[in-house]
Amino acid sequence: DQQVKQNSPSLSVQEGRISILNCDYTNSMFDYFLWYKKYPAEGPTFLISISSIKDKNEDGRFTVFLNKSAKHLSLHIVPSQPGDSAVYFCAASGYSTLTFGKGTMLLVSP
Amino acid sequence: EAQVTQNPRYLITVTGKKLTVTCSQNMNHEYMSWYRQDPGLGLRQIYYSMNVEVTDKGDVPEGYKVSRKEKRNFPLILESPSPNQTSLYFCASSYNRGRNEQFFGPGTRLTVL
């Protein structure tokens, strides 16, 4: 049973536009959420996180929104840049484990 | 430089031949974890450790062992590898539990023939 779902395997966006990556979760015990970015041949790197007591967190061009009632979070990248092209993983944290989604490949074209 | 290192980076082996993938971190992190990444399945947690001598199963622990004798090291052991363990493996560490951002190693590409 997949507890963290990223239903879009890929997303293509033009440079300068907004990228919106979505993530749904099913486990109500998750109370901390993170986004990771992964380039080929590298390990994932942390991007941004949000606690369940908040509904928004911003860091530069990246904003994460959390809708607890819908068990949904999204990552907004504005403006998108070609260097943002990577696989983005949504992750949810319970007490001691981190559960990842399958990832969304973002392609930002010039 | 703060980092998580894994060795080897690439390994081709045969079914049944015991192997160990090492993981080391220099950030004094308490929490360490192993993941495998497979096409279409994303990252799945194999084992994690919340501190020295404390380890626990993740989502896909079958066929793997771990140990945490020192804070900095968290080796992954495959006692009798099988082809379905062919995968890309990542070690990660963080200050505590799964709450904080985890720092990932560069990955180990394992092929079991």
Side-chain angles (χ1 to χ4, degrees), chain A residues 13-38:
Chain A
V13 171
Q14 277 197 310
E15 181 178 8
R17 299 288 192 108
I18 183 171
S19 294
I20 300 176
L21 296 93
N22 293 304
C23 178
D24 297 294
Y25 62 96
T26 57
N27 190 337
S28 301
M29 300 303 292
F30 290 144
D31 60 357
Y32 196 76
F33 305 90
L34 309 94
W35 285 93
Y36 284 81
K37 179 167 74 171
K38 186 182 181 304

mmCIF file with all atom_site columns, all heavy atoms in Angstrom, chain A residues 13-38:
data_model
loop_
_atom_site.group_PDB
_atom_site.id
_atom_site.type_symbol
_atom_site.label_atom_id
_atom_site.label_alt_id
_atom_site.label_comp_id
_atom_site.label_asym_id
_atom_site.label_entity_id
_atom_site.label_seq_id
_atom_site.pdbx_PDB_ins_code
_atom_site.Cartn_x
_atom_site.Cartn_y
_atom_site.Cartn_z
_atom_site.occupancy
_atom_site.B_iso_or_equiv
_atom_site.pdbx_formal_charge
_atom_site.auth_seq_id
_atom_site.auth_comp_id
_atom_site.auth_asym_id
_atom_site.auth_atom_id
_atom_site.pdbx_PDB_model_num
ATOM 1   N N   . VAL A 1 13 ? 7.999  22.097 -18.160 1.00 0.00 ? 13 VAL A N   1
ATOM 2   C CA  . VAL A 1 13 ? 7.673  23.509 -17.932 1.00 0.00 ? 13 VAL A CA  1
ATOM 3   C C   . VAL A 1 13 ? 8.676  24.359 -18.694 1.00 0.00 ? 13 VAL A C   1
ATOM 4   O O   . VAL A 1 13 ? 9.843  23.971 -18.850 1.00 0.00 ? 13 VAL A O   1
ATOM 5   C CB  . VAL A 1 13 ? 7.738  23.829 -16.426 1.00 0.00 ? 13 VAL A CB  1
ATOM 6   C CG1 . VAL A 1 13 ? 7.622  25.306 -16.163 1.00 0.00 ? 13 VAL A CG1 1
ATOM 7   C CG2 . VAL A 1 13 ? 6.654  23.085 -15.679 1.00 0.00 ? 13 VAL A CG2 1
ATOM 8   N N   . GLN A 1 14 ? 8.231  25.522 -19.120 1.00 0.00 ? 14 GLN A N   1
ATOM 9   C CA  . GLN A 1 14 ? 9.164  26.445 -19.774 1.00 0.00 ? 14 GLN A CA  1
ATOM 10  C C   . GLN A 1 14 ? 9.876  27.292 -18.731 1.00 0.00 ? 14 GLN A C   1
ATOM 11  O O   . GLN A 1 14 ? 9.299  27.647 -17.682 1.00 0.00 ? 14 GLN A O   1
ATOM 12  C CB  . GLN A 1 14 ? 8.410  27.344 -20.749 1.00 0.00 ? 14 GLN A CB  1
ATOM 13  C CG  . GLN A 1 14 ? 8.175  26.698 -22.101 1.00 0.00 ? 14 GLN A CG  1
ATOM 14  C CD  . GLN A 1 14 ? 7.816  27.735 -23.142 1.00 0.00 ? 14 GLN A CD  1
ATOM 15  O OE1 . GLN A 1 14 ? 6.936  28.548 -22.912 1.00 0.00 ? 14 GLN A OE1 1
ATOM 16  N NE2 . GLN A 1 14 ? 8.487  27.697 -24.276 1.00 0.00 ? 14 GLN A NE2 1
ATOM 17  N N   . GLU A 1 15 ? 11.089 27.642 -19.055 1.00 0.00 ? 15 GLU A N   1
ATOM 18  C CA  . GLU A 1 15 ? 11.890 28.501 -18.183 1.00 0.00 ? 15 GLU A CA  1
ATOM 19  C C   . GLU A 1 15 ? 11.127 29.783 -17.858 1.00 0.00 ? 15 GLU A C   1
ATOM 20  O O   . GLU A 1 15 ? 10.501 30.384 -18.721 1.00 0.00 ? 15 GLU A O   1
ATOM 21  C CB  . GLU A 1 15 ? 13.213 28.849 -18.874 1.00 0.00 ? 15 GLU A CB  1
ATOM 22  C CG  . GLU A 1 15 ? 14.141 29.717 -18.048 1.00 0.00 ? 15 GLU A CG  1
ATOM 23  C CD  . GLU A 1 15 ? 15.461 29.983 -18.761 1.00 0.00 ? 15 GLU A CD  1
ATOM 24  O OE1 . GLU A 1 15 ? 15.594 29.620 -19.948 1.00 0.00 ? 15 GLU A OE1 1
ATOM 25  O OE2 . GLU A 1 15 ? 16.363 30.556 -18.116 1.00 0.00 ? 15 GLU A OE2 1
ATOM 26  N N   . GLY A 1 16 ? 11.163 30.168 -16.586 1.00 0.00 ? 16 GLY A N   1
ATOM 27  C CA  . GLY A 1 16 ? 10.495 31.389 -16.156 1.00 0.00 ? 16 GLY A CA  1
ATOM 28  C C   . GLY A 1 16 ? 9.076  31.172 -15.659 1.00 0.00 ? 16 GLY A C   1
ATOM 29  O O   . GLY A 1 16 ? 8.526  32.025 -14.947 1.00 0.00 ? 16 GLY A O   1
ATOM 30  N N   . ARG A 1 17 ? 8.498  30.025 -16.030 1.00 0.00 ? 17 ARG A N   1
ATOM 31  C CA  . ARG A 1 17 ? 7.125  29.740 -15.592 1.00 0.00 ? 17 ARG A CA  1
ATOM 32  C C   . ARG A 1 17 ? 7.139  29.060 -14.232 1.00 0.00 ? 17 ARG A C   1
ATOM 33  O O   . ARG A 1 17 ? 8.186  28.719 -13.694 1.00 0.00 ? 17 ARG A O   1
ATOM 34  C CB  . ARG A 1 17 ? 6.433  28.832 -16.611 1.00 0.00 ? 17 ARG A CB  1
ATOM 35  C CG  . ARG A 1 17 ? 6.314  29.423 -18.003 1.00 0.00 ? 17 ARG A CG  1
ATOM 36  C CD  . ARG A 1 17 ? 5.301  30.534 -18.056 1.00 0.00 ? 17 ARG A CD  1
ATOM 37  N NE  . ARG A 1 17 ? 4.957  30.935 -19.404 1.00 0.00 ? 17 ARG A NE  1
ATOM 38  C CZ  . ARG A 1 17 ? 3.807  30.671 -20.003 1.00 0.00 ? 17 ARG A CZ  1
ATOM 39  N NH1 . ARG A 1 17 ? 2.892  29.965 -19.380 1.00 0.00 ? 17 ARG A NH1 1
ATOM 40  N NH2 . ARG A 1 17 ? 3.573  31.098 -21.228 1.00 0.00 ? 17 ARG A NH2 1
ATOM 41  N N   . ILE A 1 18 ? 5.950  28.836 -13.691 1.00 0.00 ? 18 ILE A N   1
ATOM 42  C CA  . ILE A 1 18 ? 5.836  28.155 -12.416 1.00 0.00 ? 18 ILE A CA  1
ATOM 43  C C   . ILE A 1 18 ? 5.788  26.643 -12.623 1.00 0.00 ? 18 ILE A C   1
ATOM 44  O O   . ILE A 1 18 ? 5.146  26.152 -13.548 1.00 0.00 ? 18 ILE A O   1
ATOM 45  C CB  . ILE A 1 18 ? 4.577  28.626 -11.646 1.00 0.00 ? 18 ILE A CB  1
ATOM 46  C CG1 . ILE A 1 18 ? 4.494  27.962 -10.271 1.00 0.00 ? 18 ILE A CG1 1
ATOM 47  C CG2 . ILE A 1 18 ? 3.313  28.334 -12.455 1.00 0.00 ? 18 ILE A CG2 1
ATOM 48  C CD1 . ILE A 1 18 ? 3.395  28.534 -9.380  1.00 0.00 ? 18 ILE A CD1 1
ATOM 49  N N   . SER A 1 19 ? 6.495  25.905 -11.768 1.00 0.00 ? 19 SER A N   1
ATOM 50  C CA  . SER A 1 19 ? 6.387  24.448 -11.728 1.00 0.00 ? 19 SER A CA  1
ATOM 51  C C   . SER A 1 19 ? 5.628  24.081 -10.459 1.00 0.00 ? 19 SER A C   1
ATOM 52  O O   . SER A 1 19 ? 5.938  24.598 -9.377  1.00 0.00 ? 19 SER A O   1
ATOM 53  C CB  . SER A 1 19 ? 7.775  23.792 -11.665 1.00 0.00 ? 19 SER A CB  1
ATOM 54  O OG  . SER A 1 19 ? 8.508  24.019 -12.842 1.00 0.00 ? 19 SER A OG  1
ATOM 55  N N   . ILE A 1 20 ? 4.653  23.211 -10.606 1.00 0.00 ? 20 ILE A N   1
ATOM 56  C CA  . ILE A 1 20 ? 3.883  22.745 -9.446  1.00 0.00 ? 20 ILE A CA  1
ATOM 57  C C   . ILE A 1 20 ? 3.949  21.233 -9.408  1.00 0.00 ? 20 ILE A C   1
ATOM 58  O O   . ILE A 1 20 ? 3.477  20.546 -10.314 1.00 0.00 ? 20 ILE A O   1
ATOM 59  C CB  . ILE A 1 20 ? 2.413  23.210 -9.511  1.00 0.00 ? 20 ILE A CB  1
ATOM 60  C CG1 . ILE A 1 20 ? 2.345  24.730 -9.540  1.00 0.00 ? 20 ILE A CG1 1
ATOM 61  C CG2 . ILE A 1 20 ? 1.641  22.669 -8.305  1.00 0.00 ? 20 ILE A CG2 1
ATOM 62  C CD1 . ILE A 1 20 ? 0.943  25.292 -9.695  1.00 0.00 ? 20 ILE A CD1 1
ATOM 63  N N   . LEU A 1 21 ? 4.551  20.723 -8.351  1.00 0.00 ? 21 LEU A N   1
ATOM 64  C CA  . LEU A 1 21 ? 4.655  19.275 -8.166  1.00 0.00 ? 21 LEU A CA  1
ATOM 65  C C   . LEU A 1 21 ? 3.753  18.878 -7.008  1.00 0.00 ? 21 LEU A C   1
ATOM 66  O O   . LEU A 1 21 ? 3.770  19.521 -5.952  1.00 0.00 ? 21 LEU A O   1
ATOM 67  C CB  . LEU A 1 21 ? 6.096  18.860 -7.895  1.00 0.00 ? 21 LEU A CB  1
ATOM 68  C CG  . LEU A 1 21 ? 7.075  19.107 -9.041  1.00 0.00 ? 21 LEU A CG  1
ATOM 69  C CD1 . LEU A 1 21 ? 7.766  20.456 -8.906  1.00 0.00 ? 21 LEU A CD1 1
ATOM 70  C CD2 . LEU A 1 21 ? 8.102  17.995 -9.116  1.00 0.00 ? 21 LEU A CD2 1
ATOM 71  N N   . ASN A 1 22 ? 3.003  17.820 -7.210  1.00 0.00 ? 22 ASN A N   1
ATOM 72  C CA  . ASN A 1 22 ? 2.008  17.428 -6.228  1.00 0.00 ? 22 ASN A CA  1
ATOM 73  C C   . ASN A 1 22 ? 2.330  16.111 -5.537  1.00 0.00 ? 22 ASN A C   1
ATOM 74  O O   . ASN A 1 22 ? 3.024  15.254 -6.096  1.00 0.00 ? 22 ASN A O   1
ATOM 75  C CB  . ASN A 1 22 ? 0.636  17.306 -6.899  1.00 0.00 ? 22 ASN A CB  1
ATOM 76  C CG  . ASN A 1 22 ? 0.121  18.635 -7.376  1.00 0.00 ? 22 ASN A CG  1
ATOM 77  O OD1 . ASN A 1 22 ? -0.004 19.575 -6.596  1.00 0.00 ? 22 ASN A OD1 1
ATOM 78  N ND2 . ASN A 1 22 ? -0.180 18.735 -8.663  1.00 0.00 ? 22 ASN A ND2 1
ATOM 79  N N   . CYS A 1 23 ? 1.780  15.983 -4.337  1.00 0.00 ? 23 CYS A N   1
ATOM 80  C CA  . CYS A 1 23 ? 2.038  14.790 -3.525  1.00 0.00 ? 23 CYS A CA  1
ATOM 81  C C   . CYS A 1 23 ? 0.837  14.555 -2.618  1.00 0.00 ? 23 CYS A C   1
ATOM 82  O O   . CYS A 1 23 ? 0.314  15.508 -2.024  1.00 0.00 ? 23 CYS A O   1
ATOM 83  C CB  . CYS A 1 23 ? 3.308  15.019 -2.702  1.00 0.00 ? 23 CYS A CB  1
ATOM 84  S SG  . CYS A 1 23 ? 3.758  13.674 -1.600  1.00 0.00 ? 23 CYS A SG  1
ATOM 85  N N   . ASP A 1 24 ? 0.390  13.318 -2.541  1.00 0.00 ? 24 ASP A N   1
ATOM 86  C CA  . ASP A 1 24 ? -0.700 12.942 -1.643  1.00 0.00 ? 24 ASP A CA  1
ATOM 87  C C   . ASP A 1 24 ? -0.222 11.875 -0.678  1.00 0.00 ? 24 ASP A C   1
ATOM 88  O O   . ASP A 1 24 ? 0.613  11.049 -1.033  1.00 0.00 ? 24 ASP A O   1
ATOM 89  C CB  . ASP A 1 24 ? -1.888 12.411 -2.448  1.00 0.00 ? 24 ASP A CB  1
ATOM 90  C CG  . ASP A 1 24 ? -2.471 13.445 -3.366  1.00 0.00 ? 24 ASP A CG  1
ATOM 91  O OD1 . ASP A 1 24 ? -3.020 14.433 -2.857  1.00 0.00 ? 24 ASP A OD1 1
ATOM 92  O OD2 . ASP A 1 24 ? -2.349 13.280 -4.598  1.00 0.00 ? 24 ASP A OD2 1
ATOM 93  N N   . TYR A 1 25 ? -0.769 11.885 0.521   1.00 0.00 ? 25 TYR A N   1
ATOM 94  C CA  . TYR A 1 25 ? -0.399 10.864 1.488   1.00 0.00 ? 25 TYR A CA  1
ATOM 95  C C   . TYR A 1 25 ? -1.652 10.308 2.143   1.00 0.00 ? 25 TYR A C   1
ATOM 96  O O   . TYR A 1 25 ? -2.711 10.939 2.141   1.00 0.00 ? 25 TYR A O   1
ATOM 97  C CB  . TYR A 1 25 ? 0.582  11.421 2.532   1.00 0.00 ? 25 TYR A CB  1
ATOM 98  C CG  . TYR A 1 25 ? 0.041  12.544 3.385   1.00 0.00 ? 25 TYR A CG  1
ATOM 99  C CD1 . TYR A 1 25 ? -0.501 12.295 4.649   1.00 0.00 ? 25 TYR A CD1 1
ATOM 100 C CD2 . TYR A 1 25 ? 0.087  13.862 2.930   1.00 0.00 ? 25 TYR A CD2 1
ATOM 101 C CE1 . TYR A 1 25 ? -0.978 13.323 5.436   1.00 0.00 ? 25 TYR A CE1 1
ATOM 102 C CE2 . TYR A 1 25 ? -0.394 14.894 3.708   1.00 0.00 ? 25 TYR A CE2 1
ATOM 103 C CZ  . TYR A 1 25 ? -0.918 14.625 4.963   1.00 0.00 ? 25 TYR A CZ  1
ATOM 104 O OH  . TYR A 1 25 ? -1.400 15.648 5.740   1.00 0.00 ? 25 TYR A OH  1
ATOM 105 N N   . THR A 1 26 ? -1.519 9.116  2.695   1.00 0.00 ? 26 THR A N   1
ATOM 106 C CA  . THR A 1 26 ? -2.694 8.458  3.271   1.00 0.00 ? 26 THR A CA  1
ATOM 107 C C   . THR A 1 26 ? -2.592 8.292  4.786   1.00 0.00 ? 26 THR A C   1
ATOM 108 O O   . THR A 1 26 ? -3.607 8.162  5.452   1.00 0.00 ? 26 THR A O   1
ATOM 109 C CB  . THR A 1 26 ? -2.903 7.076  2.634   1.00 0.00 ? 26 THR A CB  1
ATOM 110 O OG1 . THR A 1 26 ? -1.707 6.292  2.821   1.00 0.00 ? 26 THR A OG1 1
ATOM 111 C CG2 . THR A 1 26 ? -3.182 7.200  1.145   1.00 0.00 ? 26 THR A CG2 1
ATOM 112 N N   . ASN A 1 27 ? -1.391 8.294  5.320   1.00 0.00 ? 27 ASN A N   1
ATOM 113 C CA  . ASN A 1 27 ? -1.194 8.004  6.728   1.00 0.00 ? 27 ASN A CA  1
ATOM 114 C C   . ASN A 1 27 ? -1.344 9.273  7.573   1.00 0.00 ? 27 ASN A C   1
ATOM 115 O O   . ASN A 1 27 ? -0.539 10.198 7.459   1.00 0.00 ? 27 ASN A O   1
ATOM 116 C CB  . ASN A 1 27 ? 0.195  7.400  6.932   1.00 0.00 ? 27 ASN A CB  1
ATOM 117 C CG  . ASN A 1 27 ? 0.395  6.845  8.327   1.00 0.00 ? 27 ASN A CG  1
ATOM 118 O OD1 . ASN A 1 27 ? -0.275 7.225  9.275   1.00 0.00 ? 27 ASN A OD1 1
ATOM 119 N ND2 . ASN A 1 27 ? 1.330  5.914  8.446   1.00 0.00 ? 27 ASN A ND2 1
ATOM 120 N N   . SER A 1 28 ? -2.340 9.312  8.428   1.00 0.00 ? 28 SER A N   1
ATOM 121 C CA  . SER A 1 28 ? -2.586 10.488 9.264   1.00 0.00 ? 28 SER A CA  1
ATOM 122 C C   . SER A 1 28 ? -1.505 10.699 10.327  1.00 0.00 ? 28 SER A C   1
ATOM 123 O O   . SER A 1 28 ? -1.441 11.771 10.936  1.00 0.00 ? 28 SER A O   1
ATOM 124 C CB  . SER A 1 28 ? -3.934 10.355 9.966   1.00 0.00 ? 28 SER A CB  1
ATOM 125 O OG  . SER A 1 28 ? -4.971 10.218 9.041   1.00 0.00 ? 28 SER A OG  1
ATOM 126 N N   . MET A 1 29 ? -0.663 9.689  10.544  1.00 0.00 ? 29 MET A N   1
ATOM 127 C CA  . MET A 1 29 ? 0.390  9.818  11.552  1.00 0.00 ? 29 MET A CA  1
ATOM 128 C C   . MET A 1 29 ? 1.586  10.614 11.031  1.00 0.00 ? 29 MET A C   1
ATOM 129 O O   . MET A 1 29 ? 2.431  11.034 11.812  1.00 0.00 ? 29 MET A O   1
ATOM 130 C CB  . MET A 1 29 ? 0.865  8.436  12.003  1.00 0.00 ? 29 MET A CB  1
ATOM 131 C CG  . MET A 1 29 ? -0.218 7.589  12.621  1.00 0.00 ? 29 MET A CG  1
ATOM 132 S SD  . MET A 1 29 ? -0.993 8.388  14.038  1.00 0.00 ? 29 MET A SD  1
ATOM 133 C CE  . MET A 1 29 ? 0.364  8.354  15.216  1.00 0.00 ? 29 MET A CE  1
ATOM 134 N N   . PHE A 1 30 ? 1.673  10.814 9.745   1.00 0.00 ? 30 PHE A N   1
ATOM 135 C CA  . PHE A 1 30 ? 2.751  11.640 9.201   1.00 0.00 ? 30 PHE A CA  1
ATOM 136 C C   . PHE A 1 30 ? 2.572  13.068 9.704   1.00 0.00 ? 30 PHE A C   1
ATOM 137 O O   . PHE A 1 30 ? 1.482  13.638 9.611   1.00 0.00 ? 30 PHE A O   1
ATOM 138 C CB  . PHE A 1 30 ? 2.736  11.643 7.679   1.00 0.00 ? 30 PHE A CB  1
ATOM 139 C CG  . PHE A 1 30 ? 3.128  10.343 7.057   1.00 0.00 ? 30 PHE A CG  1
ATOM 140 C CD1 . PHE A 1 30 ? 2.505  9.916  5.881   1.00 0.00 ? 30 PHE A CD1 1
ATOM 141 C CD2 . PHE A 1 30 ? 4.117  9.540  7.589   1.00 0.00 ? 30 PHE A CD2 1
ATOM 142 C CE1 . PHE A 1 30 ? 2.862  8.719  5.282   1.00 0.00 ? 30 PHE A CE1 1
ATOM 143 C CE2 . PHE A 1 30 ? 4.480  8.349  7.005   1.00 0.00 ? 30 PHE A CE2 1
ATOM 144 C CZ  . PHE A 1 30 ? 3.846  7.942  5.848   1.00 0.00 ? 30 PHE A CZ  1
ATOM 145 N N   . ASP A 1 31 ? 3.642  13.645 10.216  1.00 0.00 ? 31 ASP A N   1
ATOM 146 C CA  . ASP A 1 31 ? 3.517  15.006 10.706  1.00 0.00 ? 31 ASP A CA  1
ATOM 147 C C   . ASP A 1 31 ? 4.667  15.914 10.263  1.00 0.00 ? 31 ASP A C   1
ATOM 148 O O   . ASP A 1 31 ? 4.806  17.031 10.774  1.00 0.00 ? 31 ASP A O   1
ATOM 149 C CB  . ASP A 1 31 ? 3.382  15.038 12.226  1.00 0.00 ? 31 ASP A CB  1
ATOM 150 C CG  . ASP A 1 31 ? 4.582  14.423 12.916  1.00 0.00 ? 31 ASP A CG  1
ATOM 151 O OD1 . ASP A 1 31 ? 5.487  13.919 12.206  1.00 0.00 ? 31 ASP A OD1 1
ATOM 152 O OD2 . ASP A 1 31 ? 4.620  14.456 14.148  1.00 0.00 ? 31 ASP A OD2 1
ATOM 153 N N   . TYR A 1 32 ? 5.459  15.428 9.330   1.00 0.00 ? 32 TYR A N   1
ATOM 154 C CA  . TYR A 1 32 ? 6.549  16.258 8.831   1.00 0.00 ? 32 TYR A CA  1
ATOM 155 C C   . TYR A 1 32 ? 6.807  15.829 7.400   1.00 0.00 ? 32 TYR A C   1
ATOM 156 O O   . TYR A 1 32 ? 6.882  14.634 7.118   1.00 0.00 ? 32 TYR A O   1
ATOM 157 C CB  . TYR A 1 32 ? 7.802  16.041 9.692   1.00 0.00 ? 32 TYR A CB  1
ATOM 158 C CG  . TYR A 1 32 ? 8.872  17.090 9.546   1.00 0.00 ? 32 TYR A CG  1
ATOM 159 C CD1 . TYR A 1 32 ? 8.735  18.335 10.137  1.00 0.00 ? 32 TYR A CD1 1
ATOM 160 C CD2 . TYR A 1 32 ? 10.034 16.821 8.824   1.00 0.00 ? 32 TYR A CD2 1
ATOM 161 C CE1 . TYR A 1 32 ? 9.727  19.295 10.009  1.00 0.00 ? 32 TYR A CE1 1
ATOM 162 C CE2 . TYR A 1 32 ? 11.024 17.768 8.700   1.00 0.00 ? 32 TYR A CE2 1
ATOM 163 C CZ  . TYR A 1 32 ? 10.864 19.007 9.296   1.00 0.00 ? 32 TYR A CZ  1
ATOM 164 O OH  . TYR A 1 32 ? 11.839 19.952 9.173   1.00 0.00 ? 32 TYR A OH  1
ATOM 165 N N   . PHE A 1 33 ? 6.939  16.811 6.525   1.00 0.00 ? 33 PHE A N   1
ATOM 166 C CA  . PHE A 1 33 ? 7.027  16.500 5.103   1.00 0.00 ? 33 PHE A CA  1
ATOM 167 C C   . PHE A 1 33 ? 8.217  17.216 4.477   1.00 0.00 ? 33 PHE A C   1
ATOM 168 O O   . PHE A 1 33 ? 8.539  18.347 4.852   1.00 0.00 ? 33 PHE A O   1
ATOM 169 C CB  . PHE A 1 33 ? 5.726  16.924 4.394   1.00 0.00 ? 33 PHE A CB  1
ATOM 170 C CG  . PHE A 1 33 ? 4.505  16.310 5.019   1.00 0.00 ? 33 PHE A CG  1
ATOM 171 C CD1 . PHE A 1 33 ? 3.842  16.952 6.048   1.00 0.00 ? 33 PHE A CD1 1
ATOM 172 C CD2 . PHE A 1 33 ? 4.040  15.073 4.584   1.00 0.00 ? 33 PHE A CD2 1
ATOM 173 C CE1 . PHE A 1 33 ? 2.739  16.380 6.650   1.00 0.00 ? 33 PHE A CE1 1
ATOM 174 C CE2 . PHE A 1 33 ? 2.933  14.494 5.175   1.00 0.00 ? 33 PHE A CE2 1
ATOM 175 C CZ  . PHE A 1 33 ? 2.280  15.138 6.208   1.00 0.00 ? 33 PHE A CZ  1
ATOM 176 N N   . LEU A 1 34 ? 8.843  16.528 3.553   1.00 0.00 ? 34 LEU A N   1
ATOM 177 C CA  . LEU A 1 34 ? 10.062 17.064 2.955   1.00 0.00 ? 34 LEU A CA  1
ATOM 178 C C   . LEU A 1 34 ? 10.030 16.857 1.448   1.00 0.00 ? 34 LEU A C   1
ATOM 179 O O   . LEU A 1 34 ? 9.394  15.929 0.944   1.00 0.00 ? 34 LEU A O   1
ATOM 180 C CB  . LEU A 1 34 ? 11.302 16.361 3.529   1.00 0.00 ? 34 LEU A CB  1
ATOM 181 C CG  . LEU A 1 34 ? 11.437 16.273 5.046   1.00 0.00 ? 34 LEU A CG  1
ATOM 182 C CD1 . LEU A 1 34 ? 10.866 14.962 5.586   1.00 0.00 ? 34 LEU A CD1 1
ATOM 183 C CD2 . LEU A 1 34 ? 12.894 16.385 5.475   1.00 0.00 ? 34 LEU A CD2 1
ATOM 184 N N   . TRP A 1 35 ? 10.751 17.696 0.758   1.00 0.00 ? 35 TRP A N   1
ATOM 185 C CA  . TRP A 1 35 ? 10.988 17.521 -0.677  1.00 0.00 ? 35 TRP A CA  1
ATOM 186 C C   . TRP A 1 35 ? 12.487 17.390 -0.902  1.00 0.00 ? 35 TRP A C   1
ATOM 187 O O   . TRP A 1 35 ? 13.291 18.133 -0.343  1.00 0.00 ? 35 TRP A O   1
ATOM 188 C CB  . TRP A 1 35 ? 10.463 18.707 -1.479  1.00 0.00 ? 35 TRP A CB  1
ATOM 189 C CG  . TRP A 1 35 ? 8.974  18.729 -1.628  1.00 0.00 ? 35 TRP A CG  1
ATOM 190 C CD1 . TRP A 1 35 ? 8.078  19.377 -0.826  1.00 0.00 ? 35 TRP A CD1 1
ATOM 191 C CD2 . TRP A 1 35 ? 8.200  18.079 -2.651  1.00 0.00 ? 35 TRP A CD2 1
ATOM 192 N NE1 . TRP A 1 35 ? 6.803  19.167 -1.273  1.00 0.00 ? 35 TRP A NE1 1
ATOM 193 C CE2 . TRP A 1 35 ? 6.846  18.381 -2.397  1.00 0.00 ? 35 TRP A CE2 1
ATOM 194 C CE3 . TRP A 1 35 ? 8.516  17.281 -3.756  1.00 0.00 ? 35 TRP A CE3 1
ATOM 195 C CZ2 . TRP A 1 35 ? 5.816  17.912 -3.206  1.00 0.00 ? 35 TRP A CZ2 1
ATOM 196 C CZ3 . TRP A 1 35 ? 7.495  16.813 -4.560  1.00 0.00 ? 35 TRP A CZ3 1
ATOM 197 C CH2 . TRP A 1 35 ? 6.155  17.134 -4.279  1.00 0.00 ? 35 TRP A CH2 1
ATOM 198 N N   . TYR A 1 36 ? 12.832 16.409 -1.745  1.00 0.00 ? 36 TYR A N   1
ATOM 199 C CA  . TYR A 1 36 ? 14.207 16.187 -2.125  1.00 0.00 ? 36 TYR A CA  1
ATOM 200 C C   . TYR A 1 36 ? 14.320 16.289 -3.636  1.00 0.00 ? 36 TYR A C   1
ATOM 201 O O   . TYR A 1 36 ? 13.394 15.947 -4.374  1.00 0.00 ? 36 TYR A O   1
ATOM 202 C CB  . TYR A 1 36 ? 14.684 14.797 -1.686  1.00 0.00 ? 36 TYR A CB  1
ATOM 203 C CG  . TYR A 1 36 ? 14.974 14.672 -0.219  1.00 0.00 ? 36 TYR A CG  1
ATOM 204 C CD1 . TYR A 1 36 ? 13.958 14.463 0.696   1.00 0.00 ? 36 TYR A CD1 1
ATOM 205 C CD2 . TYR A 1 36 ? 16.280 14.763 0.251   1.00 0.00 ? 36 TYR A CD2 1
ATOM 206 C CE1 . TYR A 1 36 ? 14.230 14.356 2.044   1.00 0.00 ? 36 TYR A CE1 1
ATOM 207 C CE2 . TYR A 1 36 ? 16.565 14.652 1.600   1.00 0.00 ? 36 TYR A CE2 1
ATOM 208 C CZ  . TYR A 1 36 ? 15.533 14.451 2.490   1.00 0.00 ? 36 TYR A CZ  1
ATOM 209 O OH  . TYR A 1 36 ? 15.812 14.348 3.829   1.00 0.00 ? 36 TYR A OH  1
ATOM 210 N N   . LYS A 1 37 ? 15.489 16.714 -4.072  1.00 0.00 ? 37 LYS A N   1
ATOM 211 C CA  . LYS A 1 37 ? 15.776 16.805 -5.491  1.00 0.00 ? 37 LYS A CA  1
ATOM 212 C C   . LYS A 1 37 ? 16.909 15.824 -5.801  1.00 0.00 ? 37 LYS A C   1
ATOM 213 O O   . LYS A 1 37 ? 17.852 15.688 -5.011  1.00 0.00 ? 37 LYS A O   1
ATOM 214 C CB  . LYS A 1 37 ? 16.206 18.235 -5.833  1.00 0.00 ? 37 LYS A CB  1
ATOM 215 C CG  . LYS A 1 37 ? 16.549 18.450 -7.286  1.00 0.00 ? 37 LYS A CG  1
ATOM 216 C CD  . LYS A 1 37 ? 16.651 19.938 -7.608  1.00 0.00 ? 37 LYS A CD  1
ATOM 217 C CE  . LYS A 1 37 ? 17.889 20.578 -7.078  1.00 0.00 ? 37 LYS A CE  1
ATOM 218 N NZ  . LYS A 1 37 ? 18.050 21.962 -7.588  1.00 0.00 ? 37 LYS A NZ  1
ATOM 219 N N   . LYS A 1 38 ? 16.800 15.170 -6.940  1.00 0.00 ? 38 LYS A N   1
ATOM 220 C CA  . LYS A 1 38 ? 17.832 14.208 -7.291  1.00 0.00 ? 38 LYS A CA  1
ATOM 221 C C   . LYS A 1 38 ? 18.260 14.370 -8.740  1.00 0.00 ? 38 LYS A C   1
ATOM 222 O O   . LYS A 1 38 ? 17.441 14.270 -9.657  1.00 0.00 ? 38 LYS A O   1
ATOM 223 C CB  . LYS A 1 38 ? 17.346 12.768 -7.053  1.00 0.00 ? 38 LYS A CB  1
ATOM 224 C CG  . LYS A 1 38 ? 18.440 11.728 -7.274  1.00 0.00 ? 38 LYS A CG  1
ATOM 225 C CD  . LYS A 1 38 ? 17.933 10.334 -7.086  1.00 0.00 ? 38 LYS A CD  1
ATOM 226 C CE  . LYS A 1 38 ? 19.061 9.331  -7.295  1.00 0.00 ? 38 LYS A CE  1
ATOM 227 N NZ  . LYS A 1 38 ? 19.709 9.453  -8.596  1.00 0.00 ? 38 LYS A NZ  1
#
